[in-house]
Amino acid sequence: MQWSGYGIRRYHLLQGVLTGMSIQRKGKSGRKDGDHHRYVSGGLRLVKSEAVCYIICRSTFQVSVAGANTGIGKETAKEFVKRGARVILACRDMERCKKARREIYLAAKAAQPFGNVNHYAKKKPQILCELLDLASHESVRAFGATMQAEKRIDYLINNAATMRDPQRKLTKDGLEKQMGVNHFGHFLLTGLLLGKLQASSPSRIVVLSSTAHYRGDLNFANLNWDEDYDPGAAYNASKLANVLFTRQLSTRLASTSVTVNAVHPGLVYTELFRNMSFAKSMTSYITAPIMWFFMKSARAGAQTTLYVALSPDLEGVSGKYFSNCQEAAPSDRALDEEMARRLWAVSEKWTGWSMDQVPPLSALSASAAKS
């Protein structure tokens, strides 16, 4: 696959650590020679962060986005469709998935061309809805089997998540729900699609984590939270697992042209916060507008995912952690190789998938030639 060219809109931003706000210099616009970004200079003003850090497209590519019917996943899918991708929306609620597909379709048709980003004067948007419930290994395996009929998968976006369930809940396979969905579900999904990703290489996997991973720890004696369940600690642990998985998978894919990186989207105002105390309080009608002002929109939150998936500057870059469209340092625990290997072994045992189940590349090539 060849890059078909790209345009980039980037703004110089000073991001607030927790607010998702931007401080922009105001004044006369300018463009830096030899670079593809715009900037403004002189003075200061506070604005809500809505900057688009990268706009890129390729000639032909296919994307699978887990959790694409709302929030960051939907915005990520929308931007891929605008760039001419054939996008598979992988969701557990098919009605909401179909509603999102229509919204994405209409947005793509209405989008103004930017360079060669919008191809729809020539072709119809290709958006598919497929059932995927990451809380069910049976559902994940069924989705994986369906994807084998696809000619290629160039990008896999592991976006779906659940956050801070007040009471301990279990997946259909008996796993604590936050770790079960956020880590084990994506571990199995990625494994089942690795063969297709290798056959489509160079390809990229993006795993959505969070700064919550800095507060995370893994207690392997209580990994399923059978005792002393704490919703915040369980979520933090699942986000740490995302980064550990990313780094360990990168090591195991070192001899291939498949890269995998983790991203922190920022503090984003989405449905993921529905279990937070401020969202359920009697004063939520007051706090919600305030939180909206201080948090990123879903569109802004999708930008780091898009950057890591599409930037030509990141060709061959793997096993890294990104925030605000740039590489960042993960926590010390996320760099613990022994913890990563141990989590991988547990993940293989609890999901029933291992690397030796990935078909040899020769077999994948022969299968692709027949199709």
Side-chain angles (χ1 to χ4, degrees), residues 39 41 46 58 72 83 93 112 133 135 154 163 166-167 172 191 199 211 267 277:
Y39 60 96
S41 59
L46 191 65
R58 296 176 71 174
I72 296 171
R83 290 157 178 75
D93 187 325
Q112 294 296 316
D133 182 359
D154 299 284
M163 180 180 179
Q167 303 297 321
K172 294 179 181 179
T211 52
L267 195 60
S277 58

XYZ file of all heavy atoms in Angstrom, residues 39 41 46 58 72 83 93 112 133 135 154 163 166-167 172 191 199 211 267 277:
157
model
N -0.184 28.410 12.383
C -0.120 28.877 13.746
C -0.553 30.323 13.784
O -0.593 31.014 12.769
C 1.297 28.717 14.312
C 2.348 29.493 13.550
C 2.744 30.754 13.976
C 2.929 28.955 12.409
C 3.698 31.460 13.261
C 3.874 29.652 11.697
C 4.264 30.912 12.125
O 5.196 31.615 11.436
N -0.018 34.056 16.144
C 0.955 34.606 17.077
C 0.491 35.932 17.662
O -0.306 36.657 17.068
C 2.298 34.813 16.370
O 2.140 35.693 15.281
N -8.028 32.110 25.908
C -8.383 30.770 26.345
C -9.538 30.265 25.510
O -10.561 30.934 25.380
C -8.788 30.805 27.820
C -8.944 29.468 28.528
C -7.600 28.753 28.597
C -9.493 29.683 29.937
N -5.036 7.832 2.856
C -4.327 6.880 2.021
C -5.226 6.510 0.852
O -6.417 6.794 0.849
C -3.961 5.637 2.827
C -2.990 5.919 3.952
C -2.724 4.687 4.779
N -1.928 3.698 4.048
C -1.466 2.598 4.605
N -1.715 2.337 5.868
N -0.760 1.746 3.902
N -15.766 8.738 21.321
C -14.509 8.785 20.579
C -14.512 7.788 19.424
O -14.023 8.084 18.331
C -13.322 8.491 21.525
C -13.220 9.583 22.588
C -12.019 8.393 20.749
C -12.217 9.269 23.682
N -11.908 9.975 4.941
C -10.658 9.782 4.215
C -10.730 8.648 3.202
O -9.736 8.262 2.626
C -9.531 9.518 5.221
C -9.172 10.748 6.036
C -8.508 10.376 7.344
N -8.120 11.550 8.088
C -8.964 12.338 8.743
N -10.260 12.091 8.740
N -8.530 13.400 9.400
N -24.624 -3.034 20.478
C -26.006 -2.592 20.299
C -26.209 -2.256 18.826
O -25.791 -1.199 18.353
C -26.289 -1.370 21.175
C -27.756 -0.957 21.178
O -28.412 -1.099 20.130
O -28.240 -0.463 22.219
N -16.608 18.877 3.458
C -15.918 19.632 2.419
C -14.568 18.975 2.137
O -13.856 18.593 3.073
C -15.699 21.083 2.873
C -16.979 21.876 3.037
C -17.715 22.039 1.719
O -17.102 22.334 0.694
N -19.016 21.835 1.751
N -19.637 -7.969 21.125
C -19.789 -7.734 22.559
C -18.516 -8.213 23.237
O -18.273 -9.419 23.361
C -21.007 -8.486 23.101
C -21.230 -8.234 24.584
O -20.433 -7.487 25.183
O -22.204 -8.792 25.129
N -17.764 -8.288 26.179
C -18.026 -8.973 27.447
C -18.390 -10.431 27.237
O -18.766 -11.127 28.178
C -19.146 -8.255 28.206
N -6.439 -3.071 7.607
C -5.240 -2.240 7.689
C -5.055 -1.615 9.070
O -3.932 -1.374 9.504
C -5.300 -1.132 6.635
C -5.371 -1.700 5.230
O -4.336 -2.161 4.736
O -6.465 -1.689 4.640
N -16.372 1.806 32.389
C -15.639 2.571 33.402
C -16.394 2.660 34.719
O -17.566 3.053 34.743
C -15.356 3.988 32.868
C -14.606 4.901 33.804
S -14.371 6.521 33.028
C -13.503 7.385 34.320
N -20.237 0.764 39.614
C -20.309 0.899 41.081
C -20.286 -0.447 41.815
O -19.655 -0.583 42.856
C -21.647 1.618 41.300
C -21.941 2.291 40.006
C -21.375 1.397 38.946
N -20.985 -1.418 41.255
C -21.009 -2.757 41.829
C -20.230 -3.708 40.916
O -20.234 -3.544 39.707
C -22.457 -3.256 41.978
C -23.340 -2.345 42.808
C -22.858 -2.220 44.239
O -22.401 -3.201 44.839
N -22.941 -1.019 44.810
N -19.846 -12.507 30.537
C -20.482 -13.801 30.318
C -19.519 -14.957 30.569
O -19.948 -16.105 30.701
C -21.037 -13.865 28.891
C -22.170 -12.878 28.654
C -22.689 -12.936 27.242
C -23.815 -11.924 27.032
N -24.335 -11.923 25.643
N -5.919 -10.830 18.953
C -5.314 -12.105 18.589
C -6.001 -12.769 17.411
O -5.342 -13.271 16.493
N -1.344 -10.206 7.084
C -1.512 -10.369 5.640
C -1.741 -9.033 4.950
O -1.507 -8.908 3.742
C -2.683 -11.305 5.356
N -4.598 8.073 31.217
C -3.653 8.446 32.268
C -3.992 7.727 33.572
O -3.173 7.709 34.496
C -3.663 9.964 32.514
O -5.012 10.401 32.739
C -3.068 10.719 31.347
N -9.059 13.989 28.655
C -10.278 13.989 29.457
C -11.422 14.402 28.536
O -11.570 15.582 28.189
C -10.141 14.959 30.624
C -11.172 14.836 31.747
C -11.115 13.453 32.391
C -10.951 15.923 32.793
N -19.637 10.007 39.976
C -20.552 10.603 40.948
C -21.137 11.920 40.467
O -22.314 12.200 40.683
C -19.815 10.807 42.278
O -18.672 11.636 42.093
